[in-house]
Amino acid sequence: MTPSVRAPSFRLPALLAGLVLAAAPGLVLAQAPASSQGARLFNMQCKTCHGEKSTPAGPSLTGIAGGPIAGRDDYAYSPGLKAKGGTWTDAALDAYLAKPLAFAPGTRMMVAVPDANNRAAIVAYMKTLK
């Protein structure tokens, strides 16, 4: 008698689904900025002036995302930023980080973040600061 050959017990769709799920974290990070990448960039580029508490060098950015522009009571904002008005939306934060003086003429922030991916990551991180 010839031994019978059995098909493998796994199913191809289940195997493919597992492969897709295993690859998904990398795919998600490639598509959306990770706040962890933003935290690294923030600590390198922003933290010198923007700490947990406001100082004369810059306001704390805790709770800024979604809040009013120049809205913290514990910081003396420039007339340029006060005149801007509005809300710190993702688009406003991106525009300010890209070209602070173009966004709010007269602002005291002179440091720009020219790379769009870096700005998006920093904004994603800022949204976690509560």
Side-chain angles (χ1 to χ4, degrees):
M1 252 195 216
T2 322
S4 63
V5 177
R6 295 183 65 180
S9 61
F10 66 86
R11 294 184 181 177
L12 187 58
L15 177 64
L16 292 175
L19 291 173
V20 168
L21 288 175
L27 293 174
V28 171
L29 289 176
Q31 293 175 355
S35 64
S36 61
Q37 172 72 0
R40 186 179 68 77
L41 293 166
F42 183 91
N43 286 330
M44 288 176 16
Q45 298 177 326
C46 312
K47 195 171 182 176
T48 300
C49 296
H50 301 283
E52 289 182 28
K53 295 182 179 181
S54 296
T55 69
S60 168
L61 299 179
T62 301
I64 290 293
I69 293 174
R72 293 190 64 94
D73 293 336
D74 63 349
Y75 184 74
Y77 291 96
S78 66
L81 202 54
K82 284 182 186 177
K84 185 68 180 176
T87 302
W88 283 124
T89 62
D90 289 6
L93 287 166
D94 181 71
Y96 187 59
L97 291 172
K99 296 182 179 178
L101 290 170
F103 180 85
T107 187
R108 291 188 296 261
M109 185 163 123
M110 300 294 164
V111 178
V113 181
D115 182 88
N117 291 327
N118 289 350
R119 287 193 311 272
I122 291 170
V123 169
Y125 173 69
M126 288 175 61
K127 290 166 65 173
T128 69
L129 300 175
K130 307 253 182 208

